[in-house]
Amino acid sequence: MGRKFFVGGNWKCNGTIDEVKKIVSTLNGGQVPSADVVEIVVSPPYVFMPCVKSELKPHFQVAAQNCWVKKGGAFTGEISAEMLVNLGIPWVIIGHSERRALLNETNEFVGDKVAYALSQGLKVIACVGETLEEREAGTTMKVVAAQTKAIADKIPSWDNVVLAYEPVWAIGTGKVATPAQAQEVHAELRKWLETNIKADVAASTRIIYGGSVSGSNCKELGGQKDVDGFLVGGASLKVNELLYHYCNIFLSLLFFFFNLKGCLFCLCSLNSLISSMLLR
């Protein structure tokens, strides 16, 4: 059985309640393939999650952008996995490079967070990726393998994990890995899973790409053998490009109507559009 394509939208720390409601309305009014074809997950800031979850159509799922490493308690400002479960939030993003860099989250800490979130019944989008310096030094696979191993060492199953490869040098910069670069790392990550975990885990685990994904580049990226979807960040578009990407959505629907990759192109454009509506 093939791996179901995955499209995630990370809204990061952006938006107002009015903007979020407009975005939800846009999503609800969009024409997207069925949940049997594509899994779509949006990740608003914590304060907007109840609103988004209650108003979005069931076709869309909601993810938190982070959660704490253990049960709640005297951890001011943190959100526990138990709280997310209580709200009915099924997904959480863990290990995003912004948190690794700005909040000094180590590989081991990320691994512990992934393990605890899974133990509480959450599904996890686990992020890995190298910096520009690491890529130029030729250590990309060493870095992402170490990040993946820190997760693998702590979890009993990969059934509820989506692995997101996000080269740090491409996040919010407008730069993007070439399709060949993305495929190379995704293939090596799948090979690592096969060698170090199990062949069936490697075959079934979805590995998605993030890093300045937009409506103009997602079709070619999504056509790569080992790219199973995208995690679209809010910095990929600007507001003055809205009309252009609306055109991308409708053109992709017409031109790729009988082609699955065209539907995915449409979805990625829509999620990029939504992220852009949150940014100024």
Side-chain angles (χ1 to χ4, degrees):
M1 183 176 180
R3 297 181 296 271
K4 184 189 297 187
F5 210 82
F6 186 102
V7 177
N10 179 11
W11 299 355
K12 305 191 179 184
C13 186
N14 294 290
T16 66
I17 190 64
D18 288 339
E19 290 171 331
V20 166
K21 287 182 177 180
K22 290 177 181 178
I23 289 164
V24 169
S25 177
T26 300
L27 275 174
N28 286 339
Q31 298 294 318
V32 296
S34 73
D36 293 334
V37 176
V38 181
E39 193 162 12
I40 309 172
V41 178
V42 297
S43 186
Y46 289 118
V47 293
F48 302 131
M49 285 195 303
C51 168
V52 172
K53 184 178 184 302
S54 65
E55 296 189 20
L56 263 182
K57 289 182 177 179
H59 181 79
F60 302 96
Q61 300 179 69
V62 178
Q65 296 178 15
N66 179 54
C67 70
W68 184 232
V69 69
K70 59 179 72 174
K71 187 176 181 178
F75 307 108
T76 301
E78 288 292 344
I79 306 293
S80 72
E82 290 86 350
M83 291 175 181
L84 299 178
V85 172
N86 183 250
L87 286 176
I89 303 298
W91 287 90
V92 61
I93 299 172
I94 293 178
H96 193 281
S97 65
E98 290 160 0
R99 295 193 63 85
R100 290 178 185 264
L102 299 176
L103 299 173
N104 299 313
E105 293 192 355
T106 65
N107 291 349
E108 292 69 27
F109 188 63
V110 169
D112 287 336
K113 289 172 72 173
V114 171
Y116 190 77
L118 291 172
S119 75
Q120 299 306 304
L122 293 172
K123 300 176 184 179
V124 175
I125 303 167
C127 302
V128 300
E130 83 283 11
T131 65
L132 181 60
E133 293 76 15
E134 290 163 341
R135 170 161 282 275
E136 291 178 341
T139 60
T140 292
M141 277 314 303
K142 180 180 179 180
V143 170
V144 297
Q147 293 169 337
T148 305
K149 183 178 187 301
I151 295 168
D153 287 346
K154 301 291 178 65
I155 65 175
S157 170
W158 285 78
D159 289 349
N160 290 316
V161 178
V162 169
L163 197 59
Y165 168 58
E166 296 195 298
V168 179
W169 49 272
I171 297 175
T173 63
K175 297 179 180 179
V176 60
T178 65
Q181 287 174 323
Q183 168 60 23
E184 179 184 24
V185 177
H186 283 229
E188 287 298 317
L189 280 170
R190 203 172 302 285
K191 182 178 178 181
W192 188 94
L193 291 173
E194 181 176 7
T195 302
N196 295 278
I197 312 298
K198 289 181 180 180
D200 60 340
V201 170
S204 62
T205 298
R206 290 175 290 181
I207 306 175
I208 64 176
Y209 174 80
S212 295
V213 179
S214 70
S216 62
N217 61 34
C218 65
K219 177 177 177 285
E220 191 173 4
L221 284 165
Q224 302 304 305
K225 176 183 176 182
D226 290 294
V227 175
D228 301 315
F230 304 108
L231 183 59
V232 182
S236 60
L237 295 177
K238 298 178 181 179
V239 167
N240 60 8
E241 293 175 319
L242 282 176
L243 182 59
Y244 168 76
H245 287 281
Y246 267 122
C247 292
N248 267 349
I249 292 167
F250 291 112
L251 285 174
S252 63
L253 277 172
L254 291 171
F255 190 73
F256 301 104
F257 185 75
F258 294 106
N259 183 293
L260 176 58
K261 289 298 181 184
C263 294
L264 304 177
F265 175 45
C266 166
L267 276 173
C268 192
S269 298
L270 179 59
N271 276 273
S272 296
L273 171 64
I274 287 160
S275 294
S276 77
M277 292 173 69
L278 285 169
L279 291 178
R280 298 292 183 264

